Amino acid sequence: MRKVNDMKKIMLTLAIASLSVATMSWALDQDKQDTTERLDKAAAVLHEVMATPDKGIPEEVMEHAKCVAVVPHMIKGGFVFGAQGGRGVATCRTEKGWSAPAFFAITGGSWGLQIGLEGVDLVMIIQNEEGMKHLLASKFQVGADASAAAGPVGRHASANTDWKMNEEILTYSRAKGVFAGLALNGSDIRADDDSMKTVYGPDVTFRSVLTGSVPAPPQAHAFLSAVRGARAEAASR
């Protein structure tokens, strides 16, 4: 009888272990799917923003960009003041071209006038060395560490250089396909460590990815193609 009970315990332990492995494997597969979808959605958002007549990101802004960050379908909530949160991807310009994408999260802050709960597509253009340093640090607060403002729109940016000199980050946001400037002051931007580990493994840093030390994964092709082609899309509008 004792042998039978011991055997049952062993079988139960093996069954639990097998279930745990299966659950971990499913979770990893789900995480990989989520990061791939985020990259694909970010590519689609950038294409749509760049293709918008008279309201897209100007050619000069894309030419001047140090880094490009996209948060597809970020959630904002509340009325007048509220919270926002979302997960995005970013790439920075290197000597060899655009870097592999780094994954980040954005939380907190206040948006100004808001009505209801809806999804917002957000594009951030980091346009100088100081803004790039903040992004490479993998954690900073918009407004406190890095200045941000709604960027100029249209086929060409104004010859006035204020948009180049005054802000470290230019923002472009859409709600239900309509462009609307959103204030990001107070928002925290930090590395999405879980997604970084899922795509690159445990030993790859946010900085090493954005400085071009890590090759881009295959699933990043659509996003990086959208970034590389953004200036041409702006010129063809």
Side-chain angles (χ1 to χ4, degrees), residues 78-156:
F79 180 80
V80 182
F81 295 101
Q84 78 273 358
R87 297 195 298 171
V89 292
T91 179
C92 289
R93 201 187 294 271
T94 73
E95 293 179 354
K96 300 178 182 178
W98 291 98
S99 73
F103 297 84
F104 67 91
I106 178 169
T107 57
S110 178
W111 289 71
L113 183 63
Q114 300 175 23
I115 299 177
L117 178 69
E118 58 189 57
V120 175
D121 297 323
L122 173 67
V123 178
M124 294 182 288
I125 306 297
I126 291 83
Q127 57 162 2
N128 57 35
E129 294 292 340
E130 203 60 32
M132 187 174 178
K133 287 179 183 177
H134 288 306
L135 183 62
L136 291 177
S138 77
K139 184 177 181 180
F140 68 94
Q141 186 176 84
V142 179
D145 300 316
S147 59
V153 296
R155 186 169 184 177
H156 294 287

Side-chain angles (χ1 to χ4, degrees), residues 141-231:
Q141 186 176 84
V142 179
D145 300 316
S147 59
V153 296
R155 186 169 184 177
H156 294 287
S158 167
N160 186 323
T161 58
D162 286 351
W163 61 269
K164 291 184 182 180
M165 303 299 294
N166 292 346
E167 308 295 344
E168 294 168 14
I169 303 172
L170 298 178
T171 64
Y172 297 85
S173 53
R174 301 185 316 157
K176 298 180 180 178
V178 178
F179 279 80
L182 295 178
L184 294 178
N185 285 347
S187 298
D188 291 314
I189 295 177
R190 57 176 174 75
D192 180 352
D193 293 331
D194 289 340
S195 295
M196 290 291 293
K197 289 177 182 177
T198 295
V199 175
Y200 298 110
D203 300 322
V204 174
T205 65
F206 197 79
R207 174 182 285 272
S208 66
V209 170
L210 289 179
T211 53
S213 300
V214 179
Q219 61 266 41
H221 176 75
F223 173 65
L224 294 178
S225 293
V227 174
R228 285 192 292 263
R231 182 185 171 193

